[in-house]
């Protein structure tokens, strides 16, 4: 008998199962884009056949980090910027878990930037959702790495002198194998993209535009947006790196000018995930390592067998 | 200083094969029935620069490097030179000889490579005069020439070993066996030829006028030569650890490397990651998902682990971290030992921290306490830290093979099975009350793993309710905080009552004076106490391993029984003495300090002297290499 019976359980799953039956109610401000992420996850997870108990959501710190307080899965609400390393290791320890990491743009692109680059580079098999509201929400409105140049805040009173970070392009150069941008204001596209991201084998990065009506009042609320797949103005091959890169560049350029482009930007189905790569070189056991601790018949090699080289 | 022991120093340039040669020679001495202990001194550069390894061998237990040494094999600094031409880093050829002479004992032996250094150079350091003064016996040999003749210049290490064996009247059998294990073909053949020729030439060419011979001995059981890093890695393996994440930093890299090399065959996982924050966070993630996990670093890297350490504490995720100290502050002296991260390890990370810290004092303790660290971490869901240093990490000692014949213990401690989860408390929405204070015994609230049926909860670094929701209600806060702190009390009780003490005691229980130490200074203290007592002093000692929770009762008892005590540690500010004063305030006035922080570990004689000056009030100056800090009242 498996020690993890919730994993791979086949049954009809109700959306409501992902909603905590009792407290807490979300503490996000009215109109906050974070509700959109929560909603799309609640819709997507049952549709891809995941039960709450086989999903591990790992979040950082920020308004966004509270996601898993309101989404009833196994959860780990970590520390600011560190969701990815925690999530990566959980996936390696038990590759059968569905691991979803999430956090804000400050959390993921600022303090956690190094982890983001390396998680994408290694192509860990997980979904990473960044709530991109172009601002620090929880600490009350400071400039974030994605805030537009000239953005004024209490900590940058004369307007930011910095060019905003380009998450899509960074993700592509770093090695993510699924890259998309969606927006809370477009729930249907968001749900479909989240579904694809979860089903993708490899690092699926979703830059999720979330409006922050409280601190980012001047900001474009991501409407009207254009879906690059739906619009006739854009034609590119999402499996072609160069075309994807070009499209991302344009998207990131025009966002600064007030035009919001969203959609799927890059999908590489051929690139093996980190779990596969690690198995291929013999550095990841075939069966989930976590299972082994519950297996009474498992053999545990001991150090005594290694002593020969020391005698 | 007895000469029933051999302390052989091989000196040369780093990258010169000093390490492998000395490792083999130490093993050969061990195989001949002796107890051995190695001490490695090297600069922070990859090739060239002066380096040496000392092997102390005797027909009795040896737990530390000795005082000075009695046999110098001085090689050149070959790799520091431009292979085509003249000396590349200036003339360092003579250094392996000149730099080592101060610590050579009276009557000692010197073998140097006459093929590398010129007569003028040797004259320039007044070798002849000094040899006469100190009754040294000097044997120049063209080791390079000999090696070149049979193979390659680098094989002159082997020639040096051959000369050593001849001068010490040793059989070549064990040395040959080890060479056969390590090499084959032409290389082996050349080395064996060089070994024999050096051996025979020495016997033919020289009248031996020295008395030193290799001691003889016999082991009743099979011995293994291994380092503190090996012991920690093996302790982790036997404890069921199968996940390691890290970022290289000397000296922690050794443990990281040993486990990384062994894990693929054991179904374990090793991850070299982007930085130390990630490394410790990975250990947390792997443990959360159900694998016994560890990470570690040295001071600078450990600084980055302070965040995930706190996360492990608050989420009650068991992990083991190792902190292998080297001289600080900052990047400090990367290859030199020091015991100066103690306060940092005890108190790092915000809030009222709860972690367990052990400081093993020798190789066996390193193994045992690593196992213990895993056991306590998983039983109590608390991070545990092993603090040790570059000295313990790199020194090699022979240990009875059977010592390691322990059963593996992959037990996940207070982790529930799905059957047990059925019986556990849940809230109205079916969430598992992971952080339940009502049913927690000794503060331990058993946990579930993601993917288990009936175990769904939220782990969070924020203060939380029993199911893990962020919760700042004052009553809940107090309950949760007290519950977490209760675990430390319970651990102290378990360590006091159910297990053998981790503290190691020396000398006579009724003695008047005390020496207190911790970590890798233990061996030198042990030897110093023996010598003091042989000289008619009345000294007892304790080497403390439990740093947190602190063994208050044991140390109170020890200190109540002595008139004064000297705290011996390798740092400049008396950190452990500070801990003692914090934990046992009333004894502050009894304590003095003997400190050393020049990058070299204590020699027993320095401790003897420190005691004589410090405690027995002998009217003389201590050596320049140690510092004495008087008691608070003085
Ligand atoms: C190490 C550390 N630094 C700073 C903080 C304070 N902090 C909490 S949330 C946050 C930024 C939140 O911004 P973002 O990640 O964009 O998330 P949002 O709140 O906008 O969803 C900061 C700086 C912290 N908790 N930890
Ligand atoms: S501060 Fe902004 S991001 Fe945070 S909850 Fe309010 S609207 Fe959302």
């Amino acid at each position: 008998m498996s020690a993890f019976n919730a994993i791979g359980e086949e049954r009809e799953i109700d959306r409501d199962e992902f909603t905590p039956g009792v407290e807490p109610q979300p503490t996000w401000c009215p109109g906050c884009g974070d509700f959109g992420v929560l909603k799309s996850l609640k819709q997507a997870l049952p549709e891809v056949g995941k039960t709450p108990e086989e999903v591990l959501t790992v979040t950082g710190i920020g308004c966004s980090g509270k996601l898993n307080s309101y989404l009833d899965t196994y959860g780990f609400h970590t520390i600011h910027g560190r969701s990815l390393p925690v999530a990566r290791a959980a996936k390696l320890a038990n590759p059968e878990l569905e691991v979803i990491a999430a956090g804000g743009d400050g959390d993921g692109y600022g303090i956690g930037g190094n982890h983001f680059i390396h998680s994408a580079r290694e192509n860990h098999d997980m979904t990473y959702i960044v709530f991109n509201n172009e601002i620090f929400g929880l600490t009350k409105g400071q400039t974030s790495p994605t805030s537009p140049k000239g953005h004024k805040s209490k900590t940058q009173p004369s307007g930011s002198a910095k060019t905003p970070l380009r998450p899509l392009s960074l993700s592509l150069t770093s090695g993510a194998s699924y890259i998309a941008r969606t927006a809370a204001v477009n729930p249907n596209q968001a749900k479909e993209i989240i579904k694809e991201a979860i089903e993708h084998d490899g690092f699926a990065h979703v830059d999720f535009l979330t409006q922050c009506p409280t601190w980012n009042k001047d900001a474009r609320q991501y409407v009207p947006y254009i879906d690059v797949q739906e619009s006739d103005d854009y034609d590119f091959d999402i499996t072609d790196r160069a075309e994807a890169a070009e499209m991302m560049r344009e998207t990131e350029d025009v966002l600064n000018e007030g035009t919001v482009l969203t959609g799927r930007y890059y999908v590489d189905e051929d690139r093996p995930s980190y779990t596969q790569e690690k198995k291929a070189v013999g550095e990841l056991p075939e069966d989930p390592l976590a299972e082994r601790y519950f297996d009474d018949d498992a053999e545990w090699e001991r150090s005594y067998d290694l002593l020969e080289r020391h005698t | 200083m007895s000469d029933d022991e051999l302390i052989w120093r091989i000196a040369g340039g780093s990258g010169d094969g000093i390490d492998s040669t000395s490792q083999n020679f130490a093993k050969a001495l061990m195989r001949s029935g002796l107890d051995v202990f190695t001490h490695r001194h090297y600069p922070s550069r990859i090739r060239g620069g002066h380096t040496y390894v000392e092997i102390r061998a005797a027909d009795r237990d040896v737990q530390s490097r000795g005082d000075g040494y009695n046999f110098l094999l001085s090689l050149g600094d070959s790799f520091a030179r431009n292979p085509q031409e003249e000396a590349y880093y200036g003339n360092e050829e003579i250094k392996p000889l000149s730099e080592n002479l101060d610590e050579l004992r009276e009557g000692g032996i010197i073998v140097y490579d006459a093929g590398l250094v010129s007569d003028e150079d040797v004259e320039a350091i007044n070798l002849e005069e000094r040899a006469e003064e100190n009754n040294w016996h000097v044997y120049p040999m063209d080791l390079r020439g000999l090696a070149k003749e049979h193979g390659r210049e680098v094989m002159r290490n082997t020639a040096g070993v051959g000369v050593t064996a001849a001068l010490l009247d040793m059989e070549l059998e064990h040395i040959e066996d080890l060479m056969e294990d390590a090499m084959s073909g032409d290389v082996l053949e050349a080395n064996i030829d060089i070994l024999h020729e050096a051996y025979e030439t020495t016997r033919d060419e020289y009248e031996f006028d020295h008395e030193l011979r290799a001691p003889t001995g016999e082991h009743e059981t099979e011995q293994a030569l291994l380092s503190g890093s090996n012991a920690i890695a093996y302790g982790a393996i036997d404890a069921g650890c199968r996940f390691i994440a890290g970022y290289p930093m000397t000296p922690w890299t050794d443990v990281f490397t040993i486990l990384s090399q062994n894990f693929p065959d054991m179904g374990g996982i090793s991850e070299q990651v982007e930085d130390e924050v990630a490394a410790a966070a990975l250990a947390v993630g792997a443990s959360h998902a159900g694998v016994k996990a560890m990470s570690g670093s040295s001071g600078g890297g450990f600084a980055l682990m302070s965040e995930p350490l706190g996360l492990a504490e608050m989420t009650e995720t068991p992990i083991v971290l190792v902190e292998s100290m080297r001289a600080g502050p900052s990047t400090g002296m990367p290859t030199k030992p020091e015991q100066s991260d103690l306060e940092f390890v005890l108190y790092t990370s915000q809030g009222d921290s709860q972690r367990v810290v052990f400081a093993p004092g020798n190789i066996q303790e390193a193994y045992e306490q690593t196992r213990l660290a895993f056991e306590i971490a998983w039983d109590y869901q608390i991070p545990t830290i092993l603090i040790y240093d570059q000295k313990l990490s790199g020194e090699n000692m022979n240990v009875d093979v059977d010592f390691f014949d322990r059963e593996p213990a992959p037990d996940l401690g207070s982790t529930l099975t799905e059957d047990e989860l059925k019986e556990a408390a849940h809230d109205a929405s079916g969430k598992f009350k992971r952080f339940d204070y009502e049913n927690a015994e000794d503060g331990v609230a058993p946990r579930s793993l993601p993917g288990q049926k009936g175990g769904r909860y939220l782990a969070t670094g924020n203060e939380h309710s029993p199911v893990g929701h962020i919760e700042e209600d004052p009553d809940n806060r107090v309950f949760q905080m007290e519950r977490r702190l209760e675990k430390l009390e319970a651990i102290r009780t378990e360590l006091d009552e159910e297990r053998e003490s981790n503290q190691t005691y020396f000398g006579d229980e009724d003695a008047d004076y005390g020496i207190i130490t911790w970590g890798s200074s233990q061996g030198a203290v042990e030897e110093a106490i023996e010598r003091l007592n042989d000289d008619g002093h009345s000294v007892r000692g304790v080497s403390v391993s439990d740093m947190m929770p602190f063994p208050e009762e044991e140390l109170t008892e020890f200190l109540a029984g002595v008139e004064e005590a000297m705290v011996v540690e390798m740092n400049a500010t008396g950190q452990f003495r500070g801990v003692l004063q914090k934990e046992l305030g009333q004894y502050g006035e009894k304590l003095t300090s003997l400190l050393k922080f020049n990058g070299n570990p204590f020699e027993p004689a320095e401790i003897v002297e420190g005691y004589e000056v410090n405690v027995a009030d002998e009217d003389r100056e201590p050596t320049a290499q140690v510092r004495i800090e008087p008691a608070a009242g003085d």
Side-chain angles (χ1 to χ4, degrees):
Chain A
M1 195 186 87
S2 165
F4 300 97
N5 277 312
I7 298 178
E9 195 183 5
E10 303 238 353
R11 60 180 172 80
E12 199 57 30
I13 303 144
D14 190 333
R15 232 186 94 173
D16 289 344
E17 285 186 50
F18 289 92
T19 306
V22 286
E23 294 293 302
Q25 295 305 314
T27 55
W28 291 318
C29 311
C32 175
D34 295 7
F35 286 104
V37 186
L38 179 63
K39 189 171 162 204
S40 56
L41 269 165
K42 279 186 187 170
Q43 288 177 334
L45 284 164
E47 288 187 25
V48 294
K50 297 295 172 193
T51 65
E53 285 175 326
E54 69 185 312
V55 178
L56 175 66
T57 44
V58 185
T59 57
I61 296 291
C63 298
S64 45
K66 293 184 176 166
L67 173 81
N68 48 11
S69 300
Y70 318 133
L71 180 75
D72 219 352
T73 61
Y74 268 101
F76 202 142
H77 178 220
T78 64
I79 40 182
H80 194 45
R82 315 302 173 198
S83 63
L84 283 173
V86 173
R88 270 152 54 182
K91 183 73 186 179
L92 289 168
N94 192 347
E96 292 184 354
L97 287 172
E98 188 59 52
V99 177
I100 299 170
D105 46 283
D107 183 271
Y109 302 148
I111 191 167
N114 198 22
H115 308 312
F116 172 58
I117 293 170
H118 289 276
S119 306
R121 167 170 84 98
E122 292 164 10
N123 199 28
H124 286 270
D125 186 8
M126 59 176 63
T127 302
Y128 183 42
I129 303 169
V130 181
F131 296 52
N132 186 357
N133 54 11
E134 300 184 339
I135 201 138
F136 281 17
L138 194 69
T139 45
K140 304 196 171 171
Q142 298 83 0
T143 310
S144 96
T146 48
S147 298
K149 194 169 179 181
H151 177 261
K152 284 190 184 173
S153 70
K154 284 184 189 150
T155 51
Q156 314 231 302
S158 316
S160 169
K162 302 176 191 186
T163 307
L165 184 121
R166 295 163 165 264
L168 303 175
S169 302
L170 178 62
S171 190
L172 185 75
T173 359
S174 302
S177 53
Y178 179 96
I179 305 166
R181 169 175 273 176
T182 185
V185 289
N186 184 8
N188 290 333
Q189 184 202 43
K191 182 189 82 177
E192 288 309 318
I193 283 182
I194 297 279
K195 272 166 64 179
E196 284 176 15
I198 291 171
E199 289 187 321
H200 176 75
D201 281 341
F203 193 75
H205 170 214
V206 180
D207 185 68
F208 206 124
L209 301 173
T210 52
Q211 68 279 13
C212 172
T214 306
W215 303 113
N216 222 355
K217 289 198 173 66
D218 309 336
R220 309 160 295 278
Q221 297 289 302
Y222 306 128
V223 270
Y225 71 91
I226 299 163
D227 184 329
V228 293
Q229 263 84 36
E230 299 289 312
S231 161
D232 293 338
D233 296 344
Y234 304 98
D235 180 26
F236 69 104
D237 178 359
I238 57 167
T239 64
D240 185 297
R241 247 189 124 72
E243 288 187 27
E246 191 51 46
M247 191 60 228
M248 286 176 188
R249 193 173 315 138
E250 184 173 347
T251 299
E252 286 166 335
D253 281 344
V254 297
L255 188 64
N256 278 321
E257 290 149 15
T259 309
V260 186
L261 300 186
T262 63
R264 297 136 180 95
Y265 286 83
Y266 184 62
V267 184
D268 183 352
E269 297 287 1
D270 298 329
R271 184 174 174 205
S273 70
Y274 189 62
T275 329
Q276 288 163 331
E277 300 268 26
K278 195 108 172 133
K279 276 187 180 160
V281 297
E283 288 192 354
L284 191 73
E286 278 305 318
D287 296 326
L289 184 45
E291 282 273 3
R292 196 168 165 212
Y293 290 87
F294 293 91
D295 179 357
D296 291 338
D297 300 324
E299 285 226 4
W300 289 87
E301 293 84 350
R302 51 186 197 154
S303 69
Y304 192 76
D305 305 330
L306 302 173
L307 283 181
E308 216 165 279
R309 63 182 87 144
H310 299 282
T311 56
Chain B
M1 262 166 267
S2 57
D3 261 344
D4 60 342
E5 62 182 1
L6 167 69
I7 304 182
W8 185 76
R9 183 183 285 193
I10 177 172
S14 28
D16 217 6
I18 302 276
D19 232 18
S20 53
T21 308
S22 59
Q23 189 79 7
N24 269 341
F25 192 55
K27 249 190 197 176
L29 288 164
M30 176 184 82
R31 286 189 183 179
S32 80
L34 298 170
D35 277 12
V36 293
F37 186 97
T38 73
H39 161 65
R40 184 172 176 218
H41 173 103
Y42 63 112
S44 184
R45 65 194 245 191
I46 304 305
R47 287 196 180 282
H50 176 62
T51 166
Y52 67 76
V53 175
E54 245 172 48
I55 302 170
R56 187 181 192 194
D59 180 26
R60 62 183 149 78
D61 187 25
V62 279
Q63 287 280 347
S64 75
R65 68 183 293 205
D67 308 314
Y69 66 104
N70 57 14
F71 193 121
L72 172 66
L73 171 60
S74 150
L75 301 169
D77 201 8
S78 69
F79 280 103
R81 291 182 303 136
N82 182 330
Q84 273 87 45
E85 284 289 335
E86 292 300 304
Y88 192 68
Y89 291 114
N91 182 14
E92 290 189 340
E93 289 164 16
I94 195 80
K95 270 196 170 177
L97 181 59
S98 62
E99 296 282 294
N100 286 279
L101 294 178
D102 284 349
E103 287 151 40
L104 182 62
R105 291 183 190 173
E106 253 186 59
I109 296 176
I110 299 174
V111 175
Y112 71 85
D113 192 343
L116 267 180
V117 295
S118 66
D119 290 347
E120 297 93 79
D121 282 342
V122 177
E123 257 163 53
I125 60 164
N126 292 329
L127 184 62
E128 209 171 312
E129 215 172 287
R130 293 188 68 179
E132 208 154 299
E133 266 168 40
N134 292 294
N135 188 27
W136 291 335
H137 308 273
V138 185
Y139 300 92
M141 274 290 253
D142 181 6
L143 304 174
R144 177 164 73 155
L146 205 158
K148 240 179 168 169
E149 227 174 85
H150 288 273
R152 281 186 299 138
E153 206 181 307
V154 284
M155 296 179 180
R156 63 190 205 290
N157 291 351
T158 304
V161 171
V163 178
T164 301
L167 293 173
L168 293 174
D169 213 3
M170 288 171 67
E171 306 273 336
L172 293 181
E173 172 199 344
H174 297 301
I175 303 168
E176 278 177 4
D177 280 356
L178 283 160
M179 284 181 168
E180 277 164 26
D181 288 351
M183 37 190 140
S184 60
D186 290 350
V187 178
L188 174 65
E189 220 166 277
N191 270 292
I192 299 267
D193 288 348
I194 293 169
L195 183 73
H196 280 271
E197 191 176 332
Y199 189 82
E200 276 137 35
T201 313
T202 311
R203 299 204 143 194
D204 296 344
E205 247 176 52
Y206 292 104
E207 290 277 317
F208 297 175
D209 55 355
H210 60 266
E211 277 162 28
L212 183 69
R213 294 288 181 275
T216 51
E218 208 182 312
H219 288 128
E220 278 167 21
T221 51
E222 197 181 7
Q223 301 292 305
L225 183 71
L226 30 74
S227 68
S229 298
N230 284 124
I232 288 173
Y234 292 178
I237 288 170
D238 289 351
C241 172
R242 288 297 182 274
F243 190 102
I244 188 159
Y247 189 85
M249 187 167 184
T250 305
W252 130 265
T253 313
D254 289 348
V255 170
F256 186 28
T257 309
I258 297 165
L259 287 176
S260 301
Q261 286 177 344
N262 285 303
F263 272 175
D265 294 333
M266 303 184 157
I269 300 170
S270 162
E271 279 287 286
Q272 184 185 317
V273 295
E274 57 271 28
D275 59 31
E276 287 87 349
V277 193
L282 260 93
V284 170
S287 169
H288 181 72
V291 176
K292 280 187 155 179
M294 129 186 234
S295 182
S297 190
S298 184
F302 189 78
L304 295 183
M305 299 187 160
S306 146
E307 275 188 3
L309 173 69
L311 179 67
E313 291 179 359
M314 192 54 152
T315 57
E316 301 178 65
T317 310
I319 52 167
V320 173
L321 297 179
V322 303
E323 214 274 43
S324 187
M325 296 176 283
R326 61 194 214 182
S330 193
T331 307
M333 298 199 281
T335 62
K336 299 288 157 49
E338 204 166 84
Q339 298 178 288
S340 53
D341 293 345
L342 178 64
E343 290 180 335
F344 173 51
V345 164
L346 289 176
Y347 311 124
T348 187
S349 190
Q350 67 271 31
D352 291 314
S353 306
Q354 321 99 45
R355 82 277 316 248
V356 175
V357 181
F358 295 123
N362 65 17
I363 285 165
Q364 288 97 328
E365 288 183 9
Y367 172 86
E368 292 287 15
Q369 287 170 27
T370 305
R371 290 192 63 147
L372 180 63
F374 276 92
E375 221 176 292
I376 298 270
W378 265 261
D379 281 353
Y380 291 90
Q381 305 175 5
I382 193 166
T384 59
I385 302 173
L386 288 155
I387 181 170
Y388 63 109
D389 62 42
Q390 188 267 353
K391 175 179 183 296
L392 180 57
S393 164
E395 69 197 14
N396 281 266
M397 219 174 81
N398 63 299
V399 181
D400 194 336
V401 164
D402 293 336
F403 173 80
F404 293 95
D405 192 8
R406 307 282 214 272
E407 278 298 305
D411 185 7
L412 285 185
S414 52
T415 305
L416 300 176
T417 61
E418 289 191 341
D419 279 344
E420 288 164 333
L421 274 168
K422 280 185 201 146
E423 311 295 315
H426 291 79
D427 78 356
S429 67
K431 266 198 165 156
F432 166 51
K433 288 193 174 176
R434 156 76 171 94
F435 304 101
D436 198 0
Y437 29 75
E438 271 147 34
N439 301 318
E441 201 178 313
D442 290 335
V444 182
R447 65 175 191 156
S448 63
L449 302 177
Q452 281 183 316
K453 237 185 148 115
R456 202 165 20 84
Y457 77 101
L458 181 68
T460 169
N462 283 63
E463 187 56 274
H464 44 264
S465 72
V467 295
H469 286 309
I470 299 173
E471 173 67 82
E472 295 183 349
D473 170 72
D475 288 340
N476 175 68
R477 162 67 177 180
V478 172
F479 273 130
Q480 294 290 14
M481 199 67 214
E482 285 183 341
R483 180 180 63 69
R484 288 188 297 261
L485 290 173
E486 199 185 322
K487 297 197 281 188
L488 239 73
E489 303 278 316
I491 293 166
R492 183 69 264 154
T493 310
E494 175 175 335
L495 292 174
D496 283 340
E497 290 171 10
E498 288 159 41
R499 292 172 183 274
E500 232 173 78
S501 165
N502 287 321
Q503 283 55 253
T504 309
Y505 293 88
F506 311 110
D508 184 354
E509 250 184 64
D510 302 323
D512 308 329
Y513 291 104
I515 297 185
I516 306 177
T517 194
W518 65 284
S520 75
S521 297
Q522 173 173 311
V525 166
E526 175 178 7
E527 192 165 331
I529 289 175
E530 251 169 56
R531 280 193 220 168
L532 285 166
N533 287 340
D534 286 349
D535 284 350
H537 292 282
S538 169
V539 186
R540 61 164 139 157
V542 58
S543 172
V544 182
S545 283
D546 296 352
M547 294 291 154
M548 193 182 269
F550 194 77
E552 197 185 325
E553 233 172 88
E554 273 188 71
L555 265 289
T556 302
E557 209 171 293
F558 182 88
L559 274 171
V562 295
E563 284 166 25
E564 261 183 70
M566 182 170 79
V567 187
V568 178
E569 53 185 326
M570 278 189 282
N571 60 55
T573 54
Q575 297 193 12
F576 185 51
R577 177 179 166 185
V579 171
L580 286 165
Q581 274 169 215
K582 173 174 179 278
E583 300 284 345
L584 315 165
Q586 75 270 35
Y587 292 112
E589 305 223 327
K590 282 192 180 183
L591 302 175
T592 54
S593 280
L594 183 70
L595 307 172
K596 188 172 182 185
F597 48 93
N598 68 351
N600 292 314
F602 278 106
E603 294 178 16
E606 292 169 328
I607 298 166
V608 168
E609 198 176 52
Y611 169 85
E612 286 168 352
V613 177
N614 204 5
V615 183
D617 285 331
E618 282 186 15
D619 190 17
R620 60 189 162 99
E621 288 292 310
T623 72
Q625 300 292 333
V626 297
R627 225 173 74 192
I628 286 177
E629 294 285 337
D634 286 6

